[in-house]
Amino acid sequence: MIGLLRNNIGAWRNRFVNDASFRHLVRASFFSLVIRVAGLGTGFLVTVITSRYYGADALGIVSICIAILSFASVIGKLGMDVALMRYIAELFTKKNFAAIKHVYLKSFRFIVPVCIVITGILYFFSPVIAGSFFHKPHLSELLKVNSLFVLPLVILLVNSESIRGLHRIRAYTFLQTSAVSIIATILLIISLAFYTDKFVPVSVQFISITIASVISVILFFKLSEWTKHGRDAVIDSRKLIRTSSPMFITTIMQLVMTWGGTLIMAAYYPESEVGVYNAIVRISTFTNISILAINSIASPRIASAFASGQTGEMKKLTMEATQLIFISSIVVFLPLFFFPHFVLSIFGKDFTGNEFSLELLLAGQLFVSFSGLASQVLNMADREKNLRNNAVIAAVFNITACYLLIPHYGITGDWDGGVEPALYLQREKEIRFFYFLYAR
């Protein structure tokens, strides 16, 4: 086996030297990975500071608020973020900045009103959500404040995907993975000298989201040469909605599988338990760092290749990306899986004792990483409806399992309810992915 691995490394080294496309993918992925590591590192630091100096309750409060904001932002985006990335990537290849400006403005005609309505609903129903659903009426006023940050978060997420469509991968990666956590780390460290209230960390998150949102607007306007071009109506509203609708449903279903467990746990357990759960989730995401980094490079190129009818180029890109993801995921997975007690002890004594839960989730995340860019290829190549259908089935399975298991088994029940649907979704994506690439 060692000999086989040595041969593969040698083959990859030769390809890096001789294949310009592969070399660009590796280099761009490396820089994206560095930025993502910085984002995950600062996010990890925020979690450690919050849990150690403000308590597991404070981390639980942050988790509840971010979970609500995540659901609200997905509805507010309407799937426009991924659709914009796809169309902007196609238009950028043609250097049609006027059309980019038009489709960007058209998407916000739908996004802004929807976000305002969502904010109003969350604001006025905060007492009901806090008291009747979470059984934590003392969070009512905080949830009202939380609702005001739906639009800033949506603007940040939409702009980051739009920047990815412009092939500005470093700027996209910074906004998507690092901006909020870096700002939050700085503000939290400063706050330690003055405040120890458990609501400080969530307030820092709100401020960080707002600042990152403003930065995203400035970057997109600059990179898209906003003031130099007019508007060219190449893509109409009907086409934009037709593309974004399946992506919207898929994203909601994936979000349900990501955050549904957090919300159900918050309804049955105190904030401290929710905080422990969130910390373990954050640790497990380290396994996916390579797939996220490589995806940020590959997706716009896959969209451009599909628009140009270059199926061979799509196959090449996906196979190269899958190989890189495979080896890098193993490197991250092994130390986390074999030393879970040490990793959890970093957060404090309240977090140890959940080693089995961490190992189970890491195993599921590793399986997802091995599958490569199946969902990204389907989304970029007019197969978003197939992905949507799989995501709906998996999400229904996930929520049902979490609802039945969490009240009785707590965190372990959440993993059992979350990992199996994720494995199902990934297997179905792989089947459709390989059928699309090789059975045409």
Side-chain angles (χ1 to χ4, degrees):
M1 179 161 180
I2 295 176
L4 179 62
L5 182 60
R6 187 184 298 114
N7 292 336
N8 285 334
I9 293 174
W12 292 339
R13 184 174 61 248
N14 292 334
R15 289 185 64 192
F16 182 83
V17 173
N18 301 316
D19 189 335
S21 176
F22 184 70
R23 187 163 57 248
H24 176 268
L25 178 64
V26 173
R27 285 177 174 173
S29 298
F30 173 76
F31 288 116
S32 177
L33 182 63
V34 169
I35 298 173
R36 285 184 181 275
V37 167
L40 278 174
T42 51
F44 186 83
L45 186 58
V46 167
T47 304
V48 171
I49 292 173
T50 302
S51 61
R52 280 191 170 273
Y53 294 97
Y54 294 96
D57 285 355
L59 188 59
I61 291 171
V62 172
S63 303
I64 293 170
C65 289
I66 296 300
I68 294 173
L69 277 181
S70 297
F71 273 101
S73 66
V74 167
I75 298 173
K77 290 185 300 182
L78 298 171
M80 294 287 181
D81 55 336
V82 182
L84 271 176
M85 189 274 287
R86 173 178 163 182
Y87 285 126
I88 289 176
E90 295 177 10
L91 296 169
F92 180 73
T93 302
K94 304 172 184 177
K95 301 301 179 182
N96 191 345
F97 288 99
I100 290 174
K101 185 175 183 178
H102 174 80
V103 72
Y104 177 86
L105 290 174
K106 186 171 287 294
S107 69
F108 270 94
R109 288 183 179 179
F110 297 100
I111 290 171
V112 173
V114 171
C115 286
I116 292 174
V117 171
I118 293 171
T119 296
I121 293 172
L122 290 177
Y123 186 89
F124 290 108
F125 283 90
S126 290
V128 177
I129 296 171
S132 300
F133 182 78
F134 292 123
H135 308 296
K136 298 174 178 62
H138 59 282
L139 296 181
S140 175
E141 293 301 316
L142 177 64
L143 294 187
K144 286 184 179 180
V145 177
N146 188 55
S147 68
L148 302 178
F149 295 90
V150 173
L151 184 57
L153 180 58
V154 169
I155 291 173
L156 169 62
L157 296 174
V158 171
N159 281 336
S160 64
E161 290 293 342
S162 300
I163 289 171
R164 179 159 67 145
L166 295 171
H167 293 199
R168 302 295 183 137
I169 303 304
R170 297 180 194 179
Y172 156 76
T173 307
F174 169 73
L175 292 173
Q176 190 80 2
T177 65
S178 304
V180 173
S181 60
I182 289 174
I183 296 169
T185 300
I186 296 171
L187 294 179
L188 262 183
I189 291 174
I190 295 173
S191 299
L192 281 174
F194 305 98
Y195 309 103
T196 56
D197 186 83
K198 67 179 181 179
F199 293 106
V200 169
V202 74
S203 302
V204 165
Q205 289 291 326
F206 295 156
I207 297 171
S208 302
I209 289 170
T210 304
I211 295 173
S213 178
V214 173
I215 293 173
S216 74
V217 173
I218 296 171
L219 278 176
F220 179 75
F221 281 9
K222 179 181 179 180
L223 297 174
S224 64
E225 302 179 5
W226 188 267
T227 58
K228 299 179 181 179
H229 303 278
R231 296 172 59 182
D232 184 8
V234 173
I235 299 171
D236 59 26
S237 299
R238 185 175 300 178
K239 183 177 182 181
L240 185 61
I241 292 174
R242 188 168 59 246
T243 302
S244 65
S245 296
M247 297 178 179
F248 169 59
I249 296 173
T250 299
T251 306
I252 286 182
M253 295 303 103
Q254 292 173 338
L255 190 70
V256 165
M257 290 189 289
T258 301
W259 286 102
T262 297
L263 295 178
I264 293 175
M265 278 204 66
Y268 288 95
Y269 294 91
E271 292 96 322
S272 58
E273 287 291 310
V274 180
V276 172
Y277 167 79
N278 180 260
I280 298 175
V281 170
R282 187 173 292 277
I283 294 169
S284 70
T285 57
F286 274 92
T287 307
N288 279 343
I289 188 171
S290 61
I291 193 172
L292 296 172
I294 295 169
N295 168 42
S296 65
I297 308 297
S299 287
R301 296 175 64 186
I302 291 170
S304 299
F306 177 77
S308 305
Q310 300 175 0
T311 306
E313 180 66 15
M314 290 180 63
K315 292 179 182 179
K316 181 181 178 183
L317 282 170
T318 52
M319 291 304 101
E320 290 173 346
T322 302
Q323 291 174 358
L324 290 173
I325 290 167
F326 176 82
I327 189 68
S328 55
S329 296
I330 284 289
V331 172
V332 177
F333 169 80
L334 291 176
L336 294 177
F337 186 83
F338 287 108
F339 303 99
H341 181 79
F342 171 75
V343 174
L344 289 172
S345 66
I346 295 174
F347 294 88
K349 62 181 182 179
D350 293 337
F351 295 81
T352 56
N354 294 287
E355 287 80 4
F356 175 73
S357 298
L358 177 58
E359 290 171 338
L360 184 62
L361 187 60
L362 283 169
Q365 295 282 20
L366 183 66
F367 184 85
V368 172
S369 297
F370 284 175
S371 302
L373 301 177
S375 59
Q376 287 75 17
V377 172
L378 293 174
N379 256 340
M380 295 300 104
D382 279 341
R383 296 298 186 275
E384 58 271 5
K385 292 182 180 179
N386 293 333
L387 185 61
R388 174 202 62 192
N389 296 339
N390 294 335
V392 169
I393 296 172
V396 171
F397 184 13
N398 171 265
I399 288 299
T400 303
C402 286
Y403 182 75
L404 294 174
L405 295 174
I406 286 176
H408 302 288
Y409 300 104
I411 292 177
T412 303
D414 200 348
W415 303 142
D416 293 338
V419 171
E420 291 181 18
L423 298 183
Y424 162 81
L425 174 62
Q426 204 63 30
R427 185 194 65 191
E428 292 298 313
K429 285 193 296 185
E430 289 169 13
I431 293 171
R432 296 184 181 276
F433 163 65
F434 284 108
Y435 175 83
F436 169 72
L437 283 182
Y438 297 105
R440 292 161 59 97

